[in-house]
mmCIF file of all heavy atoms in Angstrom:
data_model
loop_
_atom_site.group_PDB
_atom_site.id
_atom_site.type_symbol
_atom_site.label_atom_id
_atom_site.label_comp_id
_atom_site.label_asym_id
_atom_site.label_seq_id
_atom_site.Cartn_x
_atom_site.Cartn_y
_atom_site.Cartn_z
ATOM 1 N N GLU U 670 70.326 -42.543 -57.539
ATOM 2 C CA GLU U 670 71.118 -43.447 -58.368
ATOM 3 C C GLU U 670 72.463 -42.799 -58.695
ATOM 4 O O GLU U 670 72.550 -41.576 -58.865
ATOM 5 C CB GLU U 670 70.384 -43.797 -59.658
ATOM 6 C CG GLU U 670 69.190 -44.721 -59.453
ATOM 7 C CD GLU U 670 68.552 -45.130 -60.770
ATOM 8 O OE1 GLU U 670 68.449 -44.258 -61.653
ATOM 9 O OE2 GLU U 670 68.162 -46.294 -60.906
ATOM 10 N N PHE U 671 73.476 -43.629 -58.788
ATOM 11 C CA PHE U 671 74.821 -43.164 -59.124
ATOM 12 C C PHE U 671 75.199 -43.667 -60.504
ATOM 13 O O PHE U 671 75.040 -44.852 -60.822
ATOM 14 C CB PHE U 671 75.834 -43.678 -58.088
ATOM 15 C CG PHE U 671 77.260 -43.341 -58.424
ATOM 16 C CD1 PHE U 671 77.697 -42.030 -58.435
ATOM 17 C CD2 PHE U 671 78.175 -44.356 -58.735
ATOM 18 C CE1 PHE U 671 79.022 -41.729 -58.755
ATOM 19 C CE2 PHE U 671 79.494 -44.061 -59.033
ATOM 20 C CZ PHE U 671 79.918 -42.737 -59.051
ATOM 21 N N ASN U 672 75.690 -42.748 -61.339
ATOM 22 C CA ASN U 672 76.078 -43.103 -62.701
ATOM 23 C C ASN U 672 77.521 -43.586 -62.698
ATOM 24 O O ASN U 672 78.471 -42.793 -62.665
ATOM 25 C CB ASN U 672 75.924 -41.884 -63.622
ATOM 26 C CG ASN U 672 76.159 -42.230 -65.075
ATOM 27 O OD1 ASN U 672 76.573 -43.341 -65.414
ATOM 28 N ND2 ASN U 672 75.889 -41.285 -65.957
ATOM 29 N N ASN U 673 77.680 -44.890 -62.721
ATOM 30 C CA ASN U 673 79.007 -45.513 -62.698
ATOM 31 C C ASN U 673 79.398 -45.894 -64.121
ATOM 32 O O ASN U 673 79.150 -47.002 -64.594
ATOM 33 C CB ASN U 673 79.010 -46.743 -61.790
ATOM 34 C CG ASN U 673 80.390 -47.345 -61.619
ATOM 35 O OD1 ASN U 673 81.390 -46.741 -62.001
ATOM 36 N ND2 ASN U 673 80.450 -48.545 -61.058
ATOM 37 N N ASN U 674 80.010 -44.906 -64.828
ATOM 38 C CA ASN U 674 80.444 -45.136 -66.212
ATOM 39 C C ASN U 674 79.302 -45.633 -67.096
ATOM 40 O O ASN U 674 79.455 -46.567 -67.895
ATOM 41 C CB ASN U 674 81.614 -46.127 -66.257
ATOM 42 C CG ASN U 674 82.844 -45.605 -65.543
ATOM 43 O OD1 ASN U 674 83.144 -44.410 -65.614
ATOM 44 N ND2 ASN U 674 83.545 -46.484 -64.843
ATOM 45 N N GLY U 675 78.143 -45.025 -66.943
ATOM 46 C CA GLY U 675 76.999 -45.370 -67.786
ATOM 47 C C GLY U 675 76.056 -46.373 -67.172
ATOM 48 O O GLY U 675 74.949 -46.568 -67.682
ATOM 49 N N THR U 676 76.474 -47.018 -66.103
ATOM 50 C CA THR U 676 75.610 -47.980 -65.412
ATOM 51 C C THR U 676 75.016 -47.314 -64.176
ATOM 52 O O THR U 676 75.739 -46.831 -63.302
ATOM 53 C CB THR U 676 76.407 -49.229 -64.983
ATOM 54 O OG1 THR U 676 76.990 -49.837 -66.134
ATOM 55 C CG2 THR U 676 75.492 -50.228 -64.298
ATOM 56 N N MET U 677 73.687 -47.274 -64.105
ATOM 57 C CA MET U 677 73.015 -46.636 -62.981
ATOM 58 C C MET U 677 72.932 -47.608 -61.802
ATOM 59 O O MET U 677 72.340 -48.678 -61.912
ATOM 60 C CB MET U 677 71.619 -46.177 -63.387
ATOM 61 C CG MET U 677 71.600 -45.219 -64.567
ATOM 62 S SD MET U 677 72.613 -43.726 -64.316
ATOM 63 C CE MET U 677 71.690 -42.919 -63.007
ATOM 64 N N GLN U 678 73.573 -47.207 -60.700
ATOM 65 C CA GLN U 678 73.570 -48.029 -59.491
ATOM 66 C C GLN U 678 72.702 -47.370 -58.433
ATOM 67 O O GLN U 678 72.874 -46.185 -58.134
ATOM 68 C CB GLN U 678 75.004 -48.189 -58.971
ATOM 69 C CG GLN U 678 75.922 -48.927 -59.923
ATOM 70 C CD GLN U 678 77.344 -49.020 -59.391
ATOM 71 O OE1 GLN U 678 77.721 -48.305 -58.462
ATOM 72 N NE2 GLN U 678 78.143 -49.906 -59.980
ATOM 73 N N LYS U 679 71.788 -48.139 -57.872
ATOM 74 C CA LYS U 679 70.877 -47.597 -56.864
ATOM 75 C C LYS U 679 71.638 -47.342 -55.568
ATOM 76 O O LYS U 679 72.404 -48.187 -55.096
ATOM 77 C CB LYS U 679 69.712 -48.561 -56.636
ATOM 78 C CG LYS U 679 68.567 -47.966 -55.834
ATOM 79 C CD LYS U 679 67.425 -48.967 -55.697
ATOM 80 C CE LYS U 679 66.763 -49.259 -57.027
ATOM 81 N NZ LYS U 679 65.561 -50.128 -56.860
ATOM 82 N N VAL U 680 71.385 -46.154 -54.987
ATOM 83 C CA VAL U 680 72.029 -45.774 -53.725
ATOM 84 C C VAL U 680 71.020 -45.812 -52.575
ATOM 85 O O VAL U 680 71.276 -46.395 -51.525
ATOM 86 C CB VAL U 680 72.653 -44.362 -53.831
ATOM 87 C CG1 VAL U 680 73.332 -43.960 -52.516
ATOM 88 C CG2 VAL U 680 73.655 -44.302 -54.977
ATOM 89 N N ILE U 681 69.855 -45.204 -52.775
ATOM 90 C CA ILE U 681 68.786 -45.164 -51.772
ATOM 91 C C ILE U 681 67.454 -45.216 -52.496
ATOM 92 O O ILE U 681 67.313 -44.666 -53.592
ATOM 93 C CB ILE U 681 68.835 -43.871 -50.921
ATOM 94 C CG1 ILE U 681 70.121 -43.793 -50.087
ATOM 95 C CG2 ILE U 681 67.639 -43.761 -49.979
ATOM 96 C CD1 ILE U 681 70.271 -42.477 -49.332
ATOM 97 N N ASP U 682 66.457 -45.830 -51.901
ATOM 98 C CA ASP U 682 65.088 -45.678 -52.386
ATOM 99 C C ASP U 682 64.128 -45.831 -51.215
ATOM 100 O O ASP U 682 64.495 -46.297 -50.129
ATOM 101 C CB ASP U 682 64.761 -46.656 -53.519
ATOM 102 C CG ASP U 682 64.646 -48.095 -53.050
ATOM 103 O OD1 ASP U 682 65.006 -48.380 -51.878
ATOM 104 O OD2 ASP U 682 64.210 -48.942 -53.842
ATOM 105 N N GLY U 683 62.899 -45.369 -51.452
ATOM 106 C CA GLY U 683 61.891 -45.414 -50.403
ATOM 107 C C GLY U 683 60.582 -44.836 -50.904
ATOM 108 O O GLY U 683 60.448 -44.455 -52.076
ATOM 109 N N THR U 684 59.601 -44.771 -50.007
ATOM 110 C CA THR U 684 58.268 -44.287 -50.359
ATOM 111 C C THR U 684 57.777 -43.320 -49.290
ATOM 112 O O THR U 684 57.974 -43.555 -48.091
ATOM 113 C CB THR U 684 57.270 -45.454 -50.480
ATOM 114 O OG1 THR U 684 57.768 -46.400 -51.423
ATOM 115 C CG2 THR U 684 55.907 -44.962 -50.923
ATOM 116 N N ILE U 685 57.122 -42.256 -49.744
ATOM 117 C CA ILE U 685 56.493 -41.304 -48.823
ATOM 118 C C ILE U 685 54.980 -41.441 -49.009
ATOM 119 O O ILE U 685 54.447 -41.117 -50.072
ATOM 120 C CB ILE U 685 56.941 -39.865 -49.110
ATOM 121 C CG1 ILE U 685 58.462 -39.767 -49.014
ATOM 122 C CG2 ILE U 685 56.297 -38.892 -48.148
ATOM 123 C CD1 ILE U 685 59.016 -38.401 -49.338
ATOM 124 N N PRO U 686 54.266 -41.954 -47.993
ATOM 125 C CA PRO U 686 52.833 -42.232 -48.146
ATOM 126 C C PRO U 686 52.013 -41.006 -48.538
ATOM 127 O O PRO U 686 51.163 -41.073 -49.429
ATOM 128 C CB PRO U 686 52.419 -42.756 -46.769
ATOM 129 C CG PRO U 686 53.690 -43.276 -46.165
ATOM 130 C CD PRO U 686 54.767 -42.378 -46.666
ATOM 131 N N THR U 687 52.249 -39.878 -47.867
ATOM 132 C CA THR U 687 51.500 -38.660 -48.156
ATOM 133 C C THR U 687 52.270 -37.475 -47.590
ATOM 134 O O THR U 687 53.344 -37.630 -47.014
ATOM 135 C CB THR U 687 50.084 -38.718 -47.549
ATOM 136 O OG1 THR U 687 49.345 -37.559 -47.963
ATOM 137 C CG2 THR U 687 50.143 -38.758 -46.035
ATOM 138 N N ASP U 688 51.720 -36.281 -47.768
ATOM 139 C CA ASP U 688 52.409 -35.075 -47.297
ATOM 140 C C ASP U 688 52.605 -35.117 -45.782
ATOM 141 O O ASP U 688 51.735 -35.580 -45.032
ATOM 142 C CB ASP U 688 51.601 -33.829 -47.678
ATOM 143 C CG ASP U 688 51.576 -33.606 -49.177
ATOM 144 O OD1 ASP U 688 52.652 -33.605 -49.791
ATOM 145 O OD2 ASP U 688 50.469 -33.446 -49.731
ATOM 146 N N ASN U 689 53.751 -34.580 -45.351
ATOM 147 C CA ASN U 689 54.080 -34.433 -43.923
ATOM 148 C C ASN U 689 54.173 -35.772 -43.181
ATOM 149 O O ASN U 689 53.969 -35.820 -41.964
ATOM 150 C CB ASN U 689 53.070 -33.524 -43.220
ATOM 151 C CG ASN U 689 53.041 -32.133 -43.809
ATOM 152 O OD1 ASN U 689 54.084 -31.581 -44.173
ATOM 153 N ND2 ASN U 689 51.862 -31.547 -43.921
ATOM 154 N N VAL U 690 54.429 -36.836 -43.934
ATOM 155 C CA VAL U 690 54.621 -38.161 -43.324
ATOM 156 C C VAL U 690 56.020 -38.642 -43.688
ATOM 157 O O VAL U 690 56.435 -38.572 -44.846
ATOM 158 C CB VAL U 690 53.565 -39.170 -43.811
ATOM 159 C CG1 VAL U 690 53.857 -40.552 -43.261
ATOM 160 C CG2 VAL U 690 52.166 -38.707 -43.412
ATOM 161 N N ASP U 691 56.762 -39.119 -42.682
ATOM 162 C CA ASP U 691 58.124 -39.575 -42.930
ATOM 163 C C ASP U 691 58.152 -40.763 -43.892
ATOM 164 O O ASP U 691 57.209 -41.558 -43.938
ATOM 165 C CB ASP U 691 58.798 -39.959 -41.611
ATOM 166 C CG ASP U 691 59.083 -38.752 -40.729
ATOM 167 O OD1 ASP U 691 59.224 -37.651 -41.294
ATOM 168 O OD2 ASP U 691 59.148 -38.909 -39.504
ATOM 169 N N PRO U 692 59.236 -40.876 -44.665
ATOM 170 C CA PRO U 692 59.361 -41.986 -45.623
ATOM 171 C C PRO U 692 59.310 -43.348 -44.934
ATOM 172 O O PRO U 692 59.716 -43.495 -43.781
ATOM 173 C CB PRO U 692 60.730 -41.743 -46.262
ATOM 174 C CG PRO U 692 61.017 -40.298 -46.033
ATOM 175 C CD PRO U 692 60.381 -39.950 -44.731
ATOM 176 N N VAL U 693 58.812 -44.310 -45.670
ATOM 177 C CA VAL U 693 58.770 -45.695 -45.172
ATOM 178 C C VAL U 693 59.512 -46.583 -46.169
ATOM 179 O O VAL U 693 59.723 -46.213 -47.331
ATOM 180 C CB VAL U 693 57.313 -46.187 -45.000
ATOM 181 C CG1 VAL U 693 56.595 -45.371 -43.936
ATOM 182 C CG2 VAL U 693 56.554 -46.114 -46.332
#
Side-chain angles (χ1 to χ4, degrees):
E670 289 184 320
F671 175 66
N672 187 352
N673 186 11
N674 297 322
T676 302
M677 302 304 293
Q678 296 178 344
K679 192 178 293 186
V680 180
I681 296 175
D682 71 350
T684 304
I685 302 178
T687 185
D688 292 309
N689 300 321
V690 175
D691 290 334
V693 296

